[in-house]
Amino acid sequence: MDVVIENLPVLIFQGAKITLQITIISVAIGCLLGLIGGLSRLSRRKVLRFLATAYVDFFRGTPLLVQIFIVYFGIPKLLMDLQSFMVDSYGMTPVADSFALPRFLAAVIACSLNSGAYVAEIFRAGVQSIERGQMEAARSLGMTHGQAMRYVILPQAFKRVIPPLGNEFIAMLKDTSLLSVIGFAELTRNGQLIIARTYESFAIWLTVGFIYLIMTFTLSRIVDYLERRYKTGD
Amino acid sequence: MIEVKNLYKNFGKLEVLKDINCRVALQEVVCVIGPSGSGKSTFLRCLNLLEEPTAGDIYIDGINLTDKNTNINAVRQDVGMVFQRFNLFPHKTALDNVCLAPMKVKKLSRDEAEKIARELLDKVGLSDKADVYPEQLSGGQQQRVAIARVLAMRPKVMLFDEPTSALDPEMVGEVLAVMKDLAREGMTMVVVTHEMGFAREVGDRVIFMDEGRLVEEGTPEQVFGNPQNERTRTFLGKIL
Ligand SMILES: Nc1ncnc2c1ncn2[C@@H]1O[C@H](COP(=O)(O)OP(=O)(O)O)[C@@H](O)[C@H]1O
Ligand SMILES: [Mg+2]
Protein backbone atom coordinates (compact mmCIF):
# COMPACT_ATOMS: atom_id res chain seq x y z
CA MET A 1 0.00 0.00 0.00
CA ASP A 2 2.83 2.38 0.86
CA VAL A 3 4.38 1.81 -2.53
CA VAL A 4 1.13 2.84 -4.18
CA ILE A 5 0.70 6.00 -2.13
CA GLU A 6 4.31 6.90 -2.61
CA ASN A 7 4.12 6.61 -6.41
CA LEU A 8 0.61 7.90 -6.94
CA PRO A 9 1.64 11.51 -7.56
CA VAL A 10 4.03 10.44 -10.33
CA LEU A 11 1.45 8.15 -11.91
CA ILE A 12 -1.19 10.86 -11.90
CA PHE A 13 0.70 14.10 -12.42
CA GLN A 14 3.22 12.75 -14.89
CA GLY A 15 1.72 9.58 -16.32
CA ALA A 16 -1.99 10.27 -16.53
CA LYS A 17 -1.43 13.90 -17.40
CA ILE A 18 0.79 13.03 -20.38
CA THR A 19 -1.68 10.33 -21.43
CA LEU A 20 -4.50 12.85 -21.45
CA GLN A 21 -2.39 15.43 -23.24
CA ILE A 22 -1.29 13.15 -26.04
CA THR A 23 -4.86 11.87 -26.42
CA ILE A 24 -6.34 15.35 -26.65
CA ILE A 25 -3.73 16.54 -29.15
CA SER A 26 -4.00 13.40 -31.28
CA VAL A 27 -7.79 13.33 -31.40
CA ALA A 28 -7.90 17.07 -32.13
CA ILE A 29 -5.55 16.69 -35.09
CA GLY A 30 -7.39 13.47 -35.91
CA CYS A 31 -10.65 15.44 -36.14
CA LEU A 32 -9.11 17.80 -38.66
CA LEU A 33 -7.67 14.92 -40.71
CA GLY A 34 -10.94 13.05 -40.30
CA LEU A 35 -13.03 15.94 -41.57
CA ILE A 36 -10.84 16.23 -44.66
CA GLY A 37 -10.72 12.45 -45.07
CA GLY A 38 -14.42 11.93 -44.50
CA LEU A 39 -15.48 14.65 -46.94
CA SER A 40 -12.95 13.37 -49.48
CA ARG A 41 -14.51 9.93 -49.28
CA LEU A 42 -17.84 11.52 -50.20
CA SER A 43 -16.34 13.69 -52.92
CA ARG A 44 -17.37 13.39 -56.53
CA ARG A 45 -13.70 13.50 -57.51
CA LYS A 46 -12.33 10.02 -57.98
CA VAL A 47 -8.73 10.82 -57.06
CA LEU A 48 -9.73 12.34 -53.73
CA ARG A 49 -12.00 9.42 -52.98
CA PHE A 50 -9.26 6.94 -53.80
CA LEU A 51 -6.63 8.68 -51.67
CA ALA A 52 -8.97 9.01 -48.70
CA THR A 53 -10.05 5.38 -48.96
CA ALA A 54 -6.44 4.21 -49.11
CA TYR A 55 -5.61 6.30 -46.04
CA VAL A 56 -8.56 5.04 -44.04
CA ASP A 57 -8.03 1.42 -45.04
CA PHE A 58 -4.34 1.48 -44.17
CA PHE A 59 -4.66 3.04 -40.74
CA ARG A 60 -7.72 1.04 -39.73
CA GLY A 61 -6.36 -2.17 -41.17
CA THR A 62 -2.97 -2.21 -39.45
CA PRO A 63 -2.18 -2.29 -35.72
CA LEU A 64 -1.43 1.02 -34.04
CA LEU A 65 1.69 -0.61 -32.60
CA VAL A 66 3.06 -1.23 -36.08
CA GLN A 67 2.18 2.35 -37.07
CA ILE A 68 4.12 3.63 -34.08
CA PHE A 69 7.14 1.51 -35.08
CA ILE A 70 6.95 2.76 -38.66
CA VAL A 71 6.90 6.39 -37.57
CA TYR A 72 9.46 6.12 -34.78
CA PHE A 73 11.93 3.62 -36.28
CA GLY A 74 10.98 3.22 -39.92
CA ILE A 75 10.83 6.79 -41.16
CA PRO A 76 14.20 7.91 -39.67
CA LYS A 77 15.81 4.81 -41.16
CA LEU A 78 14.28 5.55 -44.55
CA LEU A 79 15.51 9.17 -44.44
CA MET A 80 18.98 8.01 -43.40
CA ASP A 81 19.17 5.54 -46.29
CA LEU A 82 17.91 8.19 -48.66
CA GLN A 83 20.63 10.56 -47.49
CA SER A 84 23.34 7.91 -47.92
CA PHE A 85 22.07 7.25 -51.41
CA MET A 86 22.17 10.94 -52.30
CA VAL A 87 25.64 11.33 -50.80
CA ASP A 88 27.01 8.26 -52.60
CA SER A 89 25.37 8.87 -55.97
CA TYR A 90 25.29 12.63 -56.30
CA GLY A 91 27.98 13.80 -53.89
CA MET A 92 25.48 15.68 -51.74
CA THR A 93 26.79 16.82 -48.38
CA PRO A 94 24.99 15.07 -45.49
CA VAL A 95 22.46 17.28 -43.73
CA ALA A 96 22.13 15.32 -40.48
CA ASP A 97 23.79 12.57 -38.46
CA SER A 98 20.44 11.08 -37.63
CA PHE A 99 16.82 11.69 -38.46
CA ALA A 100 15.52 10.36 -35.16
CA LEU A 101 12.22 11.97 -34.19
CA PRO A 102 11.62 13.22 -30.67
CA ARG A 103 9.36 10.66 -28.95
CA PHE A 104 6.63 13.21 -28.41
CA LEU A 105 6.52 14.14 -32.09
CA ALA A 106 6.53 10.50 -33.18
CA ALA A 107 3.73 9.78 -30.73
CA VAL A 108 1.62 12.67 -32.01
CA ILE A 109 2.16 11.74 -35.66
CA ALA A 110 1.32 8.07 -35.20
CA CYS A 111 -1.72 8.61 -32.98
CA SER A 112 -3.11 11.52 -35.04
CA LEU A 113 -2.88 9.61 -38.30
CA ASN A 114 -4.52 6.61 -36.67
CA SER A 115 -7.26 8.68 -35.07
CA GLY A 116 -7.88 10.59 -38.30
CA ALA A 117 -8.73 7.37 -40.10
CA TYR A 118 -11.37 6.41 -37.55
CA VAL A 119 -12.75 9.94 -37.36
CA ALA A 120 -13.01 10.05 -41.18
CA GLU A 121 -15.35 7.08 -41.05
CA ILE A 122 -17.34 8.70 -38.26
CA PHE A 123 -17.78 11.91 -40.27
CA ARG A 124 -18.64 10.03 -43.44
CA ALA A 125 -21.33 8.05 -41.65
CA GLY A 126 -22.57 11.24 -39.96
CA VAL A 127 -23.00 13.08 -43.24
CA GLN A 128 -24.64 10.08 -44.89
CA SER A 129 -27.10 9.75 -42.01
CA ILE A 130 -28.66 13.13 -42.85
CA GLU A 131 -31.71 12.47 -44.98
CA ARG A 132 -31.53 13.23 -48.66
CA GLY A 133 -34.37 15.74 -48.45
CA GLN A 134 -32.13 18.17 -46.58
CA MET A 135 -29.66 18.43 -49.43
CA GLU A 136 -32.52 18.63 -51.93
CA ALA A 137 -34.27 21.41 -50.03
CA ALA A 138 -31.05 23.39 -49.79
CA ARG A 139 -30.17 22.89 -53.45
CA SER A 140 -33.71 23.74 -54.58
CA LEU A 141 -33.34 27.12 -52.86
CA GLY A 142 -30.37 27.87 -55.09
CA MET A 143 -27.53 26.96 -52.73
CA THR A 144 -24.41 25.43 -54.22
CA HIS A 145 -23.32 21.98 -53.08
CA GLY A 146 -20.69 23.62 -50.87
CA GLN A 147 -23.16 26.03 -49.26
CA ALA A 148 -25.64 23.23 -48.62
CA MET A 149 -22.89 21.17 -46.97
CA ARG A 150 -21.66 24.04 -44.86
CA TYR A 151 -24.94 25.52 -43.66
CA VAL A 152 -27.32 22.57 -43.72
CA ILE A 153 -25.66 19.15 -43.75
CA LEU A 154 -22.52 19.56 -41.63
CA PRO A 155 -24.14 21.38 -38.68
CA GLN A 156 -26.60 18.50 -38.37
CA ALA A 157 -23.92 15.87 -38.93
CA PHE A 158 -21.68 17.40 -36.22
CA LYS A 159 -24.38 16.88 -33.63
CA ARG A 160 -24.76 13.25 -34.59
CA VAL A 161 -21.04 12.48 -34.50
CA ILE A 162 -20.45 13.79 -30.99
CA PRO A 163 -21.16 10.43 -29.29
CA PRO A 164 -19.01 8.33 -31.66
CA LEU A 165 -16.26 10.94 -31.43
CA GLY A 166 -16.42 10.58 -27.65
CA ASN A 167 -16.01 6.84 -28.02
CA GLU A 168 -13.04 7.35 -30.33
CA PHE A 169 -11.49 9.57 -27.68
CA ILE A 170 -11.92 6.85 -25.06
CA ALA A 171 -10.45 4.20 -27.36
CA MET A 172 -7.46 6.41 -28.14
CA LEU A 173 -6.91 7.13 -24.45
CA LYS A 174 -6.42 3.42 -23.84
CA ASP A 175 -4.43 2.83 -27.01
CA THR A 176 -1.83 5.45 -26.12
CA SER A 177 -0.51 2.85 -23.65
CA LEU A 178 1.18 1.32 -26.71
CA LEU A 179 3.45 4.35 -26.79
CA SER A 180 5.26 2.86 -23.80
CA VAL A 181 7.13 0.57 -26.20
CA ILE A 182 9.05 3.51 -27.66
CA GLY A 183 9.74 4.79 -24.17
CA PHE A 184 7.24 7.64 -24.32
CA ALA A 185 6.57 8.57 -20.70
CA GLU A 186 2.82 8.24 -20.53
CA LEU A 187 0.92 6.41 -17.80
CA THR A 188 1.83 2.81 -18.68
CA ARG A 189 5.49 3.67 -19.21
CA ASN A 190 5.58 5.38 -15.80
CA GLY A 191 4.13 2.21 -14.28
CA GLN A 192 6.86 0.13 -15.93
CA LEU A 193 9.58 2.40 -14.59
CA ILE A 194 8.23 2.30 -11.04
CA ILE A 195 8.02 -1.49 -11.14
CA ALA A 196 11.58 -1.73 -12.44
CA ARG A 197 12.59 0.06 -9.25
CA THR A 198 10.22 -1.46 -6.71
CA TYR A 199 9.29 -4.92 -8.16
CA GLU A 200 5.70 -4.32 -6.94
CA SER A 201 4.11 -5.36 -10.21
CA PHE A 202 0.68 -6.38 -8.91
CA ALA A 203 0.01 -3.25 -6.87
CA ILE A 204 1.33 -0.85 -9.48
CA TRP A 205 -0.35 -2.42 -12.50
CA LEU A 206 -3.62 -2.51 -10.59
CA THR A 207 -3.21 1.16 -9.77
CA VAL A 208 -2.35 2.02 -13.35
CA GLY A 209 -5.42 0.11 -14.53
CA PHE A 210 -7.55 1.90 -12.01
CA ILE A 211 -6.37 5.32 -13.15
CA TYR A 212 -7.26 4.42 -16.75
CA LEU A 213 -10.64 3.23 -15.52
CA ILE A 214 -11.35 6.48 -13.73
CA MET A 215 -10.53 8.46 -16.86
CA THR A 216 -12.52 6.29 -19.26
CA PHE A 217 -15.44 6.01 -16.87
CA THR A 218 -15.66 9.77 -16.48
CA LEU A 219 -15.42 10.27 -20.22
CA SER A 220 -18.07 7.69 -21.01
CA ARG A 221 -20.47 9.39 -18.57
CA ILE A 222 -19.85 12.65 -20.41
CA VAL A 223 -20.49 10.91 -23.75
CA ASP A 224 -23.73 9.44 -22.38
CA TYR A 225 -24.82 12.86 -21.25
CA LEU A 226 -24.08 14.43 -24.62
CA GLU A 227 -25.83 11.59 -26.38
CA ARG A 228 -28.98 12.17 -24.36
CA ARG A 229 -28.77 15.90 -24.87
CA TYR A 230 -28.41 15.68 -28.62
CA LYS A 231 -30.88 12.86 -29.18
CA THR A 232 -33.70 15.36 -29.05
CA GLY A 233 -33.20 18.61 -30.86
CA ASP A 234 -32.23 17.25 -34.25
CA MET B 1 -43.22 30.46 -68.46
CA ILE B 2 -42.41 26.75 -68.52
CA GLU B 3 -42.07 24.73 -71.67
CA VAL B 4 -41.28 21.03 -71.69
CA LYS B 5 -40.40 19.32 -74.95
CA ASN B 6 -40.03 15.57 -75.50
CA LEU B 7 -38.94 14.94 -71.95
CA TYR B 8 -37.70 11.44 -71.14
CA LYS B 9 -36.33 10.16 -67.86
CA ASN B 10 -34.94 6.70 -67.17
CA PHE B 11 -33.70 5.27 -63.91
CA GLY B 12 -31.34 2.64 -65.25
CA LYS B 13 -33.55 0.46 -67.42
CA LEU B 14 -36.78 1.78 -65.92
CA GLU B 15 -38.48 4.33 -68.17
CA VAL B 16 -40.22 6.67 -65.77
CA LEU B 17 -41.11 9.57 -68.08
CA LYS B 18 -41.93 9.05 -71.74
CA ASP B 19 -42.16 11.93 -74.18
CA ILE B 20 -43.74 14.56 -71.96
CA ASN B 21 -44.72 17.80 -73.69
CA CYS B 22 -46.43 20.67 -71.95
CA ARG B 23 -46.48 24.39 -71.29
CA VAL B 24 -47.31 26.42 -68.24
CA ALA B 25 -48.21 30.05 -68.81
CA LEU B 26 -47.35 32.96 -66.55
CA GLN B 27 -49.62 33.06 -63.49
CA GLU B 28 -51.19 29.76 -64.41
CA VAL B 29 -51.93 27.07 -61.82
CA VAL B 30 -51.48 23.58 -63.24
CA CYS B 31 -52.45 20.56 -61.17
CA VAL B 32 -50.87 17.19 -61.92
CA ILE B 33 -52.86 14.11 -60.95
CA GLY B 34 -52.37 10.41 -61.51
CA PRO B 35 -51.83 7.08 -59.79
CA SER B 36 -48.91 6.50 -57.45
CA GLY B 37 -45.76 5.60 -59.35
CA SER B 38 -46.91 7.26 -62.56
CA GLY B 39 -43.93 9.66 -62.55
CA LYS B 40 -45.52 12.83 -61.15
CA SER B 41 -42.74 13.53 -58.64
CA THR B 42 -40.05 12.70 -61.17
CA PHE B 43 -41.64 15.11 -63.65
CA LEU B 44 -41.74 17.88 -61.06
CA ARG B 45 -38.16 17.21 -59.95
CA CYS B 46 -36.98 17.49 -63.54
CA LEU B 47 -38.33 21.05 -63.59
CA ASN B 48 -35.64 22.18 -61.15
CA LEU B 49 -33.12 19.55 -62.14
CA LEU B 50 -33.21 17.62 -58.89
CA GLU B 51 -33.45 14.83 -61.45
CA GLU B 52 -31.47 15.13 -64.63
CA PRO B 53 -33.60 14.44 -67.71
CA THR B 54 -32.43 11.59 -69.93
CA ALA B 55 -33.58 13.46 -73.04
CA GLY B 56 -35.63 16.47 -74.01
CA ASP B 57 -35.63 20.17 -73.28
CA ILE B 58 -37.04 22.22 -70.45
CA TYR B 59 -37.32 25.99 -70.79
CA ILE B 60 -38.10 28.15 -67.79
CA ASP B 61 -38.58 31.84 -68.50
CA GLY B 62 -36.71 31.29 -71.76
CA ILE B 63 -33.70 29.57 -70.20
CA ASN B 64 -32.90 26.04 -71.34
CA LEU B 65 -32.25 23.99 -68.20
CA THR B 66 -30.70 21.08 -70.03
CA ASP B 67 -28.12 23.32 -71.71
CA LYS B 68 -24.69 22.59 -70.22
CA ASN B 69 -23.92 26.30 -69.90
CA THR B 70 -26.97 27.12 -67.82
CA ASN B 71 -26.17 28.08 -64.23
CA ILE B 72 -28.56 25.77 -62.46
CA ASN B 73 -28.12 27.46 -59.08
CA ALA B 74 -29.33 30.72 -60.56
CA VAL B 75 -32.35 29.05 -62.17
CA ARG B 76 -33.28 27.30 -58.94
CA GLN B 77 -33.57 30.64 -57.16
CA ASP B 78 -36.49 31.36 -59.48
CA VAL B 79 -38.07 27.92 -59.16
CA GLY B 80 -39.18 27.17 -55.62
CA MET B 81 -40.07 23.68 -54.49
CA VAL B 82 -42.32 22.54 -51.65
CA PHE B 83 -41.84 18.92 -50.61
CA GLN B 84 -44.24 16.33 -49.34
CA ARG B 85 -42.14 15.87 -46.18
CA PHE B 86 -41.47 19.61 -45.68
CA ASN B 87 -37.68 19.13 -45.35
CA LEU B 88 -37.28 22.06 -42.99
CA PHE B 89 -33.79 22.48 -41.55
CA PRO B 90 -34.22 20.97 -38.06
CA HIS B 91 -31.26 22.81 -36.52
CA LYS B 92 -32.70 26.22 -37.38
CA THR B 93 -35.68 28.14 -36.05
CA ALA B 94 -38.61 28.90 -38.33
CA LEU B 95 -37.23 32.39 -38.88
CA ASP B 96 -33.73 31.12 -39.69
CA ASN B 97 -35.14 28.50 -42.04
CA VAL B 98 -36.65 31.34 -44.03
CA CYS B 99 -33.60 33.64 -43.73
CA LEU B 100 -30.87 31.19 -44.68
CA ALA B 101 -31.09 31.13 -48.46
CA PRO B 102 -31.67 34.90 -48.91
CA MET B 103 -28.58 35.55 -46.76
CA LYS B 104 -26.27 32.95 -48.25
CA VAL B 105 -27.47 32.89 -51.85
CA LYS B 106 -28.71 36.44 -52.39
CA LYS B 107 -26.22 37.87 -49.91
CA LEU B 108 -28.83 39.94 -48.10
CA SER B 109 -27.85 41.30 -44.71
CA ARG B 110 -29.26 39.61 -41.61
CA ASP B 111 -31.59 42.59 -41.05
CA GLU B 112 -32.94 42.64 -44.58
CA ALA B 113 -33.46 38.87 -44.61
CA GLU B 114 -35.17 38.94 -41.24
CA LYS B 115 -37.52 41.68 -42.29
CA ILE B 116 -38.61 39.68 -45.33
CA ALA B 117 -38.83 36.49 -43.27
CA ARG B 118 -41.07 38.07 -40.66
CA GLU B 119 -43.38 39.45 -43.32
CA LEU B 120 -43.64 36.03 -44.93
CA LEU B 121 -44.20 34.18 -41.67
CA ASP B 122 -46.95 36.67 -41.00
CA LYS B 123 -48.39 36.00 -44.44
CA VAL B 124 -48.61 32.25 -43.73
CA GLY B 125 -50.09 32.97 -40.31
CA LEU B 126 -47.08 32.01 -38.19
CA SER B 127 -45.64 35.30 -36.96
CA ASP B 128 -45.80 33.99 -33.39
CA LYS B 129 -43.69 30.92 -34.28
CA ALA B 130 -40.60 32.73 -35.58
CA ASP B 131 -38.29 31.50 -32.84
CA VAL B 132 -39.60 27.96 -32.66
CA TYR B 133 -37.73 24.93 -34.01
CA PRO B 134 -39.44 22.71 -36.60
CA GLU B 135 -39.87 19.75 -34.23
CA GLN B 136 -42.13 21.89 -32.05
CA LEU B 137 -44.42 22.70 -34.97
CA SER B 138 -47.33 20.65 -36.28
CA GLY B 139 -47.11 19.25 -39.80
CA GLY B 140 -49.35 21.95 -41.18
CA GLN B 141 -47.28 24.66 -39.54
CA GLN B 142 -44.06 23.11 -40.83
CA GLN B 143 -45.39 23.06 -44.37
CA ARG B 144 -46.40 26.70 -44.10
CA VAL B 145 -42.89 27.61 -42.92
CA ALA B 146 -41.56 25.64 -45.88
CA ILE B 147 -43.73 27.71 -48.21
CA ALA B 148 -42.49 30.93 -46.58
CA ARG B 149 -38.91 29.67 -47.01
CA VAL B 150 -39.49 29.28 -50.74
CA LEU B 151 -41.24 32.65 -51.05
CA ALA B 152 -38.27 34.39 -49.44
CA MET B 153 -36.32 33.75 -52.63
CA ARG B 154 -39.02 35.59 -54.61
CA PRO B 155 -39.44 32.72 -57.09
CA LYS B 156 -41.16 33.11 -60.43
CA VAL B 157 -42.53 29.58 -60.33
CA MET B 158 -43.44 27.28 -57.45
CA LEU B 159 -43.51 23.50 -57.60
CA PHE B 160 -45.53 21.58 -55.01
CA ASP B 161 -45.07 17.81 -54.64
CA GLU B 162 -48.11 16.52 -52.77
CA PRO B 163 -47.79 19.26 -50.16
CA THR B 164 -50.66 17.96 -48.04
CA SER B 165 -50.16 14.19 -48.34
CA ALA B 166 -48.09 13.86 -45.17
CA LEU B 167 -50.54 15.90 -43.10
CA ASP B 168 -53.26 14.88 -40.69
CA PRO B 169 -56.63 15.66 -42.29
CA GLU B 170 -57.39 18.59 -40.00
CA MET B 171 -54.24 20.42 -41.18
CA VAL B 172 -54.78 20.06 -44.90
CA GLY B 173 -57.05 23.09 -45.05
CA GLU B 174 -54.59 25.59 -43.59
CA VAL B 175 -51.93 24.68 -46.16
CA LEU B 176 -54.36 24.71 -49.07
CA ALA B 177 -55.60 28.12 -47.93
CA VAL B 178 -52.05 29.53 -48.17
CA MET B 179 -51.69 28.01 -51.63
CA LYS B 180 -55.00 29.51 -52.72
CA ASP B 181 -53.77 32.94 -51.62
CA LEU B 182 -50.64 32.49 -53.70
CA ALA B 183 -52.67 31.49 -56.73
CA ARG B 184 -54.90 34.51 -56.30
CA GLU B 185 -51.85 36.78 -56.14
CA GLY B 186 -50.76 35.44 -59.50
CA MET B 187 -48.01 32.97 -58.63
CA THR B 188 -47.24 30.48 -61.39
CA MET B 189 -47.69 27.06 -59.80
CA VAL B 190 -47.34 23.39 -60.69
CA VAL B 191 -49.04 21.29 -58.06
CA VAL B 192 -48.92 17.50 -57.81
CA THR B 193 -51.91 16.69 -55.64
CA HIS B 194 -54.57 14.21 -54.64
CA GLU B 195 -56.81 17.05 -53.46
CA MET B 196 -59.32 17.04 -56.30
CA GLY B 197 -61.33 19.80 -54.65
CA PHE B 198 -58.29 22.07 -54.79
CA ALA B 199 -57.54 21.12 -58.40
CA ARG B 200 -61.12 21.90 -59.39
CA GLU B 201 -61.33 25.17 -57.52
CA VAL B 202 -57.86 26.66 -57.97
CA GLY B 203 -56.41 24.88 -60.99
CA ASP B 204 -56.53 26.60 -64.35
CA ARG B 205 -55.55 23.35 -65.95
CA VAL B 206 -55.29 19.71 -64.92
CA ILE B 207 -52.78 17.20 -66.26
CA PHE B 208 -53.39 13.49 -65.86
CA MET B 209 -50.34 11.25 -65.91
CA ASP B 210 -50.22 7.47 -66.07
CA GLU B 211 -47.27 5.10 -66.53
CA GLY B 212 -44.90 7.94 -67.33
CA ARG B 213 -47.04 9.52 -70.02
CA LEU B 214 -49.05 12.70 -70.09
CA VAL B 215 -52.35 11.06 -70.91
CA GLU B 216 -54.79 13.93 -70.81
CA GLU B 217 -54.90 17.62 -70.08
CA GLY B 218 -57.55 20.28 -70.01
CA THR B 219 -59.48 22.61 -67.78
CA PRO B 220 -60.73 21.06 -64.53
CA GLU B 221 -64.24 21.06 -65.99
CA GLN B 222 -63.08 19.07 -69.03
CA VAL B 223 -60.90 16.56 -67.19
CA PHE B 224 -63.19 15.96 -64.23
CA GLY B 225 -66.50 16.50 -66.00
CA ASN B 226 -65.89 14.87 -69.31
CA PRO B 227 -62.66 12.85 -69.38
CA GLN B 228 -61.76 11.71 -72.90
CA ASN B 229 -59.30 8.96 -72.10
CA GLU B 230 -60.32 5.58 -70.74
CA ARG B 231 -57.48 5.55 -68.21
CA THR B 232 -58.46 8.97 -66.88
CA ARG B 233 -62.02 7.73 -66.40
CA THR B 234 -60.81 4.64 -64.55
CA PHE B 235 -58.54 6.71 -62.28
CA LEU B 236 -61.20 9.31 -61.51
CA GLY B 237 -63.77 6.59 -60.96
CA LYS B 238 -61.56 5.11 -58.25
CA ILE B 239 -60.85 8.29 -56.33
CA LEU B 240 -63.95 10.44 -56.68
N1 LIG C 1 -34.26 7.74 -57.64
C1 LIG C 1 -34.94 6.74 -58.21
N2 LIG C 1 -34.29 5.61 -58.60
C2 LIG C 1 -34.97 4.59 -59.20
N3 LIG C 1 -36.28 4.60 -59.43
C3 LIG C 1 -37.00 5.69 -59.07
C4 LIG C 1 -36.36 6.81 -58.44
N4 LIG C 1 -37.31 7.75 -58.19
C5 LIG C 1 -38.47 7.23 -58.64
N5 LIG C 1 -38.29 6.00 -59.17
C6 LIG C 1 -39.33 5.18 -59.80
O1 LIG C 1 -39.96 5.94 -60.79
C7 LIG C 1 -41.33 5.68 -60.83
C8 LIG C 1 -42.12 6.97 -60.70
O2 LIG C 1 -41.92 7.50 -59.41
P1 LIG C 1 -42.51 8.89 -58.95
O3 LIG C 1 -42.11 9.93 -59.91
O4 LIG C 1 -42.14 9.09 -57.53
O5 LIG C 1 -44.08 8.64 -59.09
P2 LIG C 1 -45.29 9.41 -58.38
O6 LIG C 1 -44.77 10.66 -57.78
O7 LIG C 1 -46.26 9.61 -59.46
O8 LIG C 1 -45.83 8.46 -57.34
C9 LIG C 1 -41.64 4.68 -59.72
O9 LIG C 1 -41.69 3.41 -60.30
C10 LIG C 1 -40.42 4.79 -58.84
O10 LIG C 1 -40.17 3.56 -58.20
MG1 LIG D 1 -44.73 11.31 -55.75
Side-chain angles (χ1 to χ4, degrees), chain A residues 8-19 21 185-187 190:
Chain A
L8 208 52
V10 171
L11 286 176
I12 293 174
F13 295 112
Q14 290 181 27
K17 188 179 142 210
I18 302 277
T19 289
Q21 260 175 8
E186 41 65 70
L187 179 53
N190 271 285

Side-chain angles (χ1 to χ4, degrees), chain B residues 8-161:
Chain B
Y8 287 81
K9 173 68 187 174
N10 301 346
F11 286 114
K13 283 217 167 97
L14 185 69
E15 293 186 333
V16 177
L17 297 179
K18 300 161 203 161
D19 197 18
I20 306 277
N21 291 279
C22 78
R23 285 161 174 273
V24 179
L26 190 67
Q27 303 204 330
E28 197 178 19
V29 177
V30 173
C31 293
V32 182
I33 61 172
S36 169
S38 58
K40 306 181 297 296
S41 297
T42 306
F43 170 61
L44 209 62
R45 292 158 59 83
C46 282
L47 298 182
N48 68 352
L49 251 48
L50 280 184
E51 301 293 354
E52 195 158 340
T54 305
D57 292 305
I58 300 170
Y59 295 86
I60 291 192
D61 210 13
I63 297 169
N64 188 351
L65 297 203
T66 49
D67 186 337
K68 288 271 171 288
N69 298 320
T70 299
N71 176 358
I72 187 58
N73 294 319
V75 175
R76 281 181 180 145
Q77 295 180 41
D78 293 335
V79 185
M81 182 168 230
V82 175
F83 299 86
Q84 185 174 350
R85 307 232 30 115
F86 331 133
N87 295 348
L88 288 184
F89 307 135
H91 60 302
K92 297 204 172 283
T93 61
L95 187 75
D96 286 342
N97 262 277
V98 183
C99 284
L100 185 67
M103 283 168 59
K104 302 307 175 191
V105 178
K106 291 199 163 167
K107 314 287 181 202
L108 296 191
S109 72
R110 169 104 224 158
D111 286 348
E112 291 170 301
E114 241 180 64
K115 185 163 167 287
I116 294 170
R118 287 193 192 279
E119 277 166 22
L120 289 170
L121 285 177
D122 191 41
K123 181 187 171 88
V124 299
L126 292 170
S127 43
D128 56 331
K129 300 290 184 191
D131 300 318
V132 167
Y133 285 89
E135 62 170 356
Q136 295 157 281
L137 295 171
S138 72
Q141 291 170 332
Q142 288 191 49
Q143 193 61 297
R144 284 185 283 153
V145 173
I147 292 173
R149 179 173 71 175
V150 170
L151 289 174
M153 293 303 285
R154 305 273 181 241
K156 296 177 183 161
V157 180
M158 282 178 79
L159 312 173
F160 294 82
D161 192 0

Side-chain angles (χ1 to χ4, degrees), chain B residues 83-87 138-140 142-143 161-172 175 194-195:
Chain B
F83 299 86
Q84 185 174 350
R85 307 232 30 115
F86 331 133
N87 295 348
S138 72
Q142 288 191 49
Q143 193 61 297
D161 192 0
E162 301 194 31
T164 58
S165 294
L167 298 177
D168 292 336
E170 71 269 22
M171 294 169 189
V172 170
V175 172
H194 292 300
E195 297 291 331

Side-chain angles (χ1 to χ4, degrees), chain B residues 209-221:
Chain B
M209 284 181 66
D210 192 19
E211 292 177 2
R213 287 185 194 281
L214 195 162
V215 173
E216 183 161 356
E217 67 177 310
T219 62
E221 292 75 33

